[in-house]
Structures are given as structure tokens and as C-alpha cells.
Amino acid sequence: MCGISVIVALDQKKNLKNNIDVTSPHEGIVNGFHRRSVSEKLEESLDLLAHRGPDSRGQWVSEDSRVALGHVRLAIVDLSPNGVQPFHGMDGSIHAVVNGELYDADRIRADLIREAGYVFKGHSDCEIVVALYKQHGISFLRHLRGEFALCLYDSRAKYFVAARDRYGIKPLFWTYLEGKLLVASEAKAFLPLGWKPKWDVKCLMDDGWRHDQRTPFEGVNKVRPGHYLTCNAFGSIEMRQYWDLNFPNKVVADPRTEEEIVEGVRSRLLDAVRLRLRADVPVGVYLSGGVDSSAVAGMMCHLFKERGNKIGIEKGLERMTCFTIAFDEASGMDESRIAERTAQHLGVTLIKKYMNEEEIAKRFEDAVWHSEHQNYDLNFVGKFALSEAPRELGFKVVLTGEGADEVFGGYPAFLPDFLREPDHAWPYSNLTDEERQKQLTKAELVAAEFYKGRALKLLSHGDSLADRQLNNISSPASLASYTFPLFAPWTSSYGESDPCVTIANNVDGRVRERMLKKWHPLHSALYIWTKGNLANVLLACLGDRSEMAHSVEGRLPLLDHELTEYVNKAPPSLKIRYNKENGFSEKWLLREAVKPFIIEEVYNRKKHGYAAPTGWPRDGPLHKLFQRLVTRENVERLGFVDWSSVEDLVHKAFVGHNTVALRCTNVVAQWVVLSQRFGIETATPVPDST
């Protein structure tokens, strides 16, 4: 797990795709810098990524001074100097920097040695990238299994590739600046390279940062999950897809038995956990009160006992070690007691990270700096703090349970879409059509009330533009933000903004066709959440960014693509199970698969999303923090926020105890922090083009 920063000088005589205009001539020096200074600039960029890789760093500049690859390393597999990047091919023509972990690398390495006679420098899992490209060309991406972001340059073909893993677990950003293509693990790495941050106001209004490739920063984009960006002969930049989610035809019955499908999930999940225990450093696990992390911990413990894997045996830690966050029990958000009971059942060590209001307040600004985008909940600060615990005990790697809700159907918003159509793929369901219609009406009312209380607005659906494109599923509306009243009046010059339309527009036309004609509405909803909220929020500020801020690598077995491809084929009625006596059981297929590895309390427990408390006292640390951040001067410096809509928010949040006001205050405060830390220009009205 590491950080990368890359500079590529483009051919100014050719136009770039994606509506990027190139006007200045190429000066024949590396990316606008003299060769002597490019190394210094790249080093400054790597300094801002040092938290991602404190163990070593390296860089390479091509002979023609057009490509510069930089890397900071968190040493996990092959701790020797042989694992230091950039990696170079045997003949010196292929060069790569990789962030992440690639699993089953030993088997792939053996195949490449046998079939191609490839000679590896060391034993790093990431070194297989160069060898696979040499053997398979751009098709090498299909052979990678794990969490990764990478940049590769073929100097003979003058071909540059930047790619991101299938689910977007690892971040990868790019921008175009004065004839340079810049690519990095975090946007802050662009600052020493001449980037002057500006707000992308339209993106903020659209919720584009949350649902598509945009970021809060104008001109800075993400490489989409399951995609790769190419630059051929320093000419046009193109983005192409190499993998996507798929689901079966909703009218075709699944011929398998329930037991067969459950066992298939169990065996694949065990394999995913096993592969993620490969490390030359101690491996821990994050544990909450939910079925997801409990399943990972239970399976990890099972493998530990069965195979004798040496997990966590360092500095006297002779047992598997779990880490959990503990909020004030009176808040109703604390799950540490349940995690404690799971740890006792497994016979493993549990380390608690206690979080009170003061602890959240003092970490808030640093957590925002590392996230690089807003979050509606303070839970990201809790995850930021939790990631301190493994490093304090010498752990560089933790397994986590993220992704299960989007794969197995865990969120309340999914129930209406599960009920929207009959499930012809599973004719054994005891849910009659009459009961389905009745439960659908009830579920939509419950979901609307739930999301309204979380400062999200469940908009009316059924005849909107977004609804017509996405087969009338309601899940997109459950993701629509409630921040639009905060924007200054002049922002109307950007035109109308509807986050639901943003979500619909983010879906490929071929996929929209499948949603309309082929996929069950539940599967369409899973796709929407996976491509947007999971990749851009949960895997970012609640995943990589919080963990890597403390040099901790998170590994996500529940997003192993060989597992998820199998789960995606299962009928909706096995993901959300209906029982006349107990109602609906979310993630039923996962619960059944992991039942041997979790305690009964967790097996029977309803979904409780990870969230920070929403009730905080007047004149407490958070109240004082937000009073300091959300001032007229700071808000007006943003430029795009209407002060008259904001001035009473802090009072309403901490004196009136209004949850919606607290979430909106939280968002504005984060914008202020980003503005200050990044030095973002004040947004100004768009000049009249008439």
C-alpha cells in the first residue's frame, strides 16, 4: 500500500479528448520544468503523500524527460529493497508504480516464470504488474485481483496507462495542467506541481463528487472504478472500461438450490479472507457490532486456528487482534459492547478506541484534509481516529467489512426496490403478489421518513427524468443531498441541478437499457449505490483516506470480485428474505453463509449503519469548533454559499438540536477547512456570455 505521483508531458500539436483544449506549444523540457528541477518538484509532491508510504520512496524520469514516476512505499510484502518502486521490466522498457495489494501473486508469478521465463527482481506482489503487461498487453488488468491503483509506461510504444481497481477501493486522480497530465493518489499531491485549486461549484450542486468522476476541485477528476486512462504517443487522453457489474435476467429462474448458493458464497468468502492474510507484517481486523466485520473476524479466526497462520504475532501479541470504535453508550451509536462479545467468543484480543466529543473535535480538520471532500456525518472522523490504533501497536494491515451492503442488499433504501417487481428468478418465495404490493407501500413511507431524518431528501418519484431512465427505482432519490438551499443565488447561472439526474447520467447507456429491460430493480439499486456512494464516499473518507492517513492498509474481502460476481448471480429473494413472522431479513445470503463464524446475537441483529452521534451539547468542543469555522468571513470567502442561509445553522444544530441543521453545518465547516488547507480561490459568478 503506497502513494503515487506521476507527470506526463503531452504533445501540444494534438488535441486532447474529453474537451480539454491545448494551446501552448511544447517547450521540449519535462512537463514545463527543466530536467534538473523535475525531480525536486516530484519530491515535493511525494512529501504530501508521505503518510501513505513512510518506509521508502523512489522516482524515475524517462530519458526524453517526458515521463516522471514517483512512489512512496508502505512495505508489507517483501520488506527488502527489492520491493522499492518504481518497478522496471527486464529489458528496461516498461516502468510502473503501484498502490495497493494484488492477491494470488505467487501463483501468477510461477505461471509467468514457467510460460515466459520472466525473471523477477524480488517477491513483491506488485511486481507482477510489469510482467503481466509484458505478456498480455493492456489485457493484463483482467488478471489482477485485489485493491490497486497503478501507472505504467511503455517507453518503446510511448504508451502510458493509469488504472484503478474494479470497485475503486484505491484512489486515483488526474488533471491537465499547462501541457502536463498529472496523476496521483490524492489531489493534494498536485499542489507542488503548479496546481491552483478552484471550486467546482456545479459539481457541488450536482453532487457530482459523490456520484460520478468529478471532485470538488475544478478540473480534477477520478479515474473511474474498473477503468483505465491511456495516453498514446503523448497525444489524446482516453478513458476505457475493463470491468463492470452484471446481473442475470430477472425472468429466468435460478436452477440452483438454496444450499448450493449459500455454500458457494461461504467458500468464496473464505478464500477471499485467506488471500488477504498474505503479508510480511502483522494483520489485524476492524470489528463492529454488524454482521459484515464480524464475519470477516470470524473467518479470519477460523483460518488462524485451522491453518496456524501467524497473524499478529509481534511484540508479544500472541493472539489475533481486533480494533473497534467506542462512542458514548448513551448516544445509541455505540457498538463496542457487541464487538466485545464477539471477541470474547472468538478468544481474540479487542482494542477499543474511545471517542468522545473532544476527541472528534480535535481531529475534525485533519480528517477533512485527508478526505478531500465533504461528508454529511461525523463518522469519518471516528474512522480516522480508529486507524490510529493499529499503528500504535505496530499493525500495518487490517481487514475490514466494507462493501457487504452494496453486494448483498443491506440498506433500508433497498427494500422498496426489492418489492417493486416480483422475483421470478426465485419461484420458491412465500411472498405473494398481494403482500408484496402492501409491503411496498409501507416500505416507501418508512424509507422516506428515515432519510428525511438524515438530512437527505427522498424526492417524489415515478415521473421524473431520472426515474424514467432507471426503471422508477427509488434508491437514487434516497441519495439526493439536502444542501441545495445553502448555495448563493448567483449559482443559478450554472443551470438546474438535480442529484438524481446526476446519478442517472453516471450510468452507461448500455447499463440503463439492462435496468429497463433485464435487471430486477433491486439489482439496479445495488449498481447505483456501488458506482456512486460506495466508491466516492464509503471507500474514500471511511476507507482508504482515513486508514492511509495513519499508514494503515485496509483489505476488503467482501469486495473480492470473484466473490461478488458469484453473489450478483443470486436471486434478489436470497439477498433480502421475506418471512411472514419476522418480516424482511437484509443480507440473508451473507448471514447464512457466515452463520458458523458469528455469534447468534449478530446473526439475528438488524442492520445498523455506522454513524456518529447526532446530538451534541451547547458550548461543547464541537459547538465551539463550528462557531470558529462557520463565520461570515469564512463562508463569504467560499463564494458559493449564501450566508443568510447559513448564519443560524450552528445555533439550530447545538441549541435547537436539529439534526438536519447539524449535518448542513458539518458540510459547510468542511468546505471552510478545505478552502483554508488547500488555499482554494473564492468562487465568483460566471461571467455573462451573452
Side-chain angles (χ1 to χ4, degrees):
M1 197 59 62
C2 314
I4 59 181
S5 181
V6 172
I7 312 170
V8 180
L10 302 176
D11 188 343
Q12 310 306 311
K13 297 178 182 179
K14 297 181 180 180
N15 291 327
L16 298 177
K17 292 189 177 181
N18 302 324
N19 296 318
I20 302 174
D21 183 35
V22 184
T23 55
S24 59
H26 178 58
E27 297 178 316
I29 55 178
V30 61
N31 313 310
F33 306 120
H34 289 284
R35 181 177 177 84
R36 186 188 306 176
S37 65
V38 68
S39 179
E40 297 174 0
K41 292 292 183 182
L42 195 57
E43 195 70 12
E44 291 177 25
S45 178
L46 295 177
D47 285 341
L48 291 178
L49 297 175
H51 52 280
R52 300 187 68 88
D55 296 331
S56 65
R57 67 175 62 186
Q59 59 172 266
W60 172 83
V61 180
S62 63
E63 289 186 10
D64 60 6
S65 299
R66 302 196 68 160
V67 179
L69 308 178
H71 185 269
V72 292
R73 185 188 186 204
L74 180 63
I76 291 174
V77 176
D78 189 354
L79 308 185
S80 75
N82 290 331
V84 174
Q85 300 187 42
F87 291 121
H88 310 283
M90 289 189 300
D91 62 0
S93 65
I94 302 169
H95 316 271
V97 285
V98 185
N99 165 32
E101 292 297 333
L102 303 175
Y103 306 115
D104 209 13
D106 291 340
R107 178 192 60 79
I108 293 173
R109 179 191 300 271
D111 290 345
L112 288 166
I113 292 173
R114 183 181 65 256
E115 297 171 5
Y118 196 89
V119 178
F120 290 89
K121 180 181 179 181
H123 298 282
S124 169
D125 55 302
C126 293
E127 193 179 357
I128 64 172
V129 165
V130 174
L132 284 171
Y133 173 81
K134 183 72 174 178
Q135 184 74 355
H136 302 286
I138 194 59
S139 297
F140 83 99
L141 292 168
R142 65 180 296 271
H143 296 272
L144 301 182
R145 181 178 184 180
E147 305 99 4
F148 63 86
L150 62 89
C151 290
L152 180 146
Y153 178 60
D154 183 339
S155 60
R156 288 184 176 175
K158 306 298 182 187
Y159 187 63
F160 174 79
V161 180
R164 195 174 177 202
D165 66 66
R166 293 166 179 81
Y167 281 95
I169 300 169
K170 292 294 105 189
L172 196 61
F173 299 91
W174 69 278
T175 190
Y176 175 76
L177 179 68
E178 298 176 353
K180 304 184 292 289
L181 169 64
L182 308 180
V183 184
S185 298
E186 299 179 17
K188 59 178 65 70
F190 299 145
L191 289 168
L193 305 178
W195 176 55
K196 304 296 183 185
K198 295 181 180 180
W199 291 110
D200 189 335
V201 178
K202 178 61 171 170
C203 167
L204 295 175
M205 296 170 65
D206 290 344
D207 255 9
W209 64 275
R210 189 181 186 189
H211 300 301
D212 58 35
Q213 80 284 356
R214 290 174 289 175
T215 71
F217 309 114
E218 183 179 295
V220 176
N221 293 284
K222 315 172 190 101
V223 174
R224 291 175 180 267
H227 283 67
Y228 62 96
L229 175 153
T230 64
C231 180
N232 200 353
F234 308 108
S236 61
I237 297 172
E238 297 184 7
M239 189 83 70
R240 295 182 179 176
Q241 189 170 38
Y242 69 89
W243 184 87
D244 200 6
L245 301 169
N246 201 3
F247 299 94
N249 192 317
K250 61 187 177 184
V251 299
V252 177
D254 194 309
R256 298 171 295 177
T257 65
E258 183 178 288
E259 293 75 16
E260 178 185 355
I261 297 174
V262 169
E263 179 55 38
V265 172
R266 182 181 297 139
S267 63
R268 285 165 177 79
L269 183 51
L270 273 169
D271 186 53
V273 173
R274 177 186 60 79
L275 287 174
R276 283 159 179 78
L277 300 182
R278 172 74 171 90
D280 296 330
V281 296
V283 180
V285 60
Y286 284 148
L287 179 62
S288 69
V291 65
D292 314 335
S293 63
S294 298
V296 173
M299 288 186 160
M300 184 173 171
C301 187
H302 167 76
L303 292 170
F304 178 48
K305 294 175 180 177
E306 182 184 72
R307 303 167 187 262
N309 292 319
K310 295 182 179 181
I311 306 167
I313 301 180
E314 187 174 290
K315 298 182 180 179
L317 299 173
E318 298 180 355
R319 296 195 298 173
M320 191 179 98
T321 302
C322 304
F323 302 89
T324 193
I325 194 81
F327 290 114
D328 181 0
E329 201 168 343
S331 69
M333 300 295 183
D334 181 52
E335 296 186 347
S336 64
R337 292 295 184 92
I338 303 175
E340 196 170 54
R341 290 190 283 274
T342 291
Q344 289 173 349
H345 171 76
L346 297 176
V348 301
T349 299
L350 179 67
I351 305 298
K352 288 187 180 183
K353 187 73 173 183
Y354 290 94
M355 288 297 294
N356 55 29
E357 183 183 5
E358 182 179 0
E359 296 298 310
I360 292 177
K362 75 180 185 181
R363 290 173 174 83
F364 178 82
E365 291 169 272
D366 285 341
V368 174
W369 161 251
H370 284 283
S371 292
E372 298 188 341
H373 64 74
Q374 70 209 52
N375 193 340
Y376 301 102
D377 196 289
L378 287 167
N379 54 4
F380 76 105
V381 188
K383 184 63 180 293
F384 180 83
L386 175 62
S387 298
E388 297 169 2
R391 284 299 290 184
E392 290 168 354
L393 291 178
F395 285 80
K396 289 183 177 181
V397 180
V398 289
L399 269 62
T400 78
E402 276 88 8
D405 292 306
E406 291 79 6
V407 175
F408 290 92
Y411 294 122
F414 293 150
L415 184 55
D417 289 329
F418 167 69
L419 295 165
R420 206 162 300 285
E421 292 181 9
D423 181 11
H424 297 294
W426 196 251
Y428 315 108
S429 173
N430 58 6
L431 180 64
T432 66
D433 200 57
E434 181 181 1
E435 181 67 16
R436 179 184 63 80
Q437 294 281 3
K438 176 183 174 182
Q439 292 291 340
L440 173 59
T441 300
K442 178 181 176 181
E444 287 188 320
L445 291 173
V446 171
E449 189 63 28
F450 175 82
Y451 283 98
K452 181 180 178 181
R454 294 176 64 83
L456 297 173
K457 187 177 182 182
L458 189 58
L459 308 174
S460 61
H461 73 281
D463 192 33
S464 72
L465 177 60
D467 296 329
R468 292 195 295 273
Q469 294 186 79
L470 302 177
N471 197 24
N472 294 317
I473 61 174
S474 58
S475 289
S478 70
L479 291 168
S481 72
Y482 196 67
T483 58
F484 57 85
L486 305 178
F487 290 95
W490 69 262
T491 61
S492 63
S493 62
Y494 284 104
E496 293 184 357
S497 290
D498 182 347
C500 291
V501 173
T502 301
I503 293 170
N505 290 345
N506 188 49
V507 179
D508 182 276
R510 292 165 295 182
V511 172
R512 287 197 295 269
E513 191 72 8
R514 294 174 196 148
M515 289 181 175
L516 289 170
K517 298 180 179 180
K518 182 179 177 182
W519 293 352
H520 188 278
L522 173 65
H523 288 155
S524 298
L526 297 180
Y527 187 96
I528 290 296
W529 275 71
T530 299
K531 292 296 183 175
N533 198 63
L534 176 66
N536 297 327
V537 179
L538 301 185
L539 298 180
C541 62
L542 291 177
D544 173 88
R545 314 309 280 280
S546 293
E547 293 152 358
M548 290 301 290
H550 304 290
S551 308
V552 172
E553 171 183 289
R555 297 181 174 181
L556 286 68
L558 287 162
L559 288 181
D560 182 277
H561 77 277
E562 295 196 6
L563 165 69
T564 62
E565 287 176 345
Y566 182 85
V567 175
N568 289 348
K569 296 175 183 176
S573 294
L574 294 189
K575 293 165 185 172
I576 299 179
R577 188 65 170 260
Y578 175 70
N579 182 287
K580 290 183 179 180
E581 296 180 357
N582 301 319
F584 296 94
S585 176
E586 78 280 355
K587 292 186 290 192
W588 181 86
L589 182 54
L590 176 63
R591 292 175 189 274
E592 292 301 305
V594 303
K595 191 174 183 179
F597 309 103
I598 59 177
I599 61 177
E600 186 175 359
E601 178 183 6
V602 171
Y603 173 81
N604 292 320
R605 190 169 184 249
K606 282 287 186 180
K607 166 71 181 176
H608 289 265
Y610 167 59
T614 55
W616 303 102
R618 181 177 185 175
D619 296 327
L622 278 173
H623 189 190
K624 293 176 180 177
L625 172 69
F626 287 152
Q627 282 179 321
R628 173 171 64 81
L629 291 173
V630 186
T631 64
R632 181 165 192 158
E633 180 183 3
N634 287 342
V635 169
E636 290 182 346
R637 188 178 297 122
L638 296 174
F640 60 89
V641 176
D642 180 24
W643 171 246
S644 65
S645 300
V646 171
E647 58 181 331
D648 292 332
L649 280 181
V650 177
H651 179 83
K652 290 178 180 178
F654 291 93
V655 179
H657 300 292
N658 183 304
T659 301
V660 173
L662 175 65
R663 293 182 181 276
C664 291
T665 301
N666 184 25
V667 168
V668 175
Q670 290 176 68
W671 285 338
V672 169
V673 173
L674 291 174
S675 172
Q676 294 173 344
R677 291 287 185 100
F678 278 86
I680 306 175
E681 292 183 19
T682 300
T684 56
V686 180
D688 189 349
S689 60
T690 59

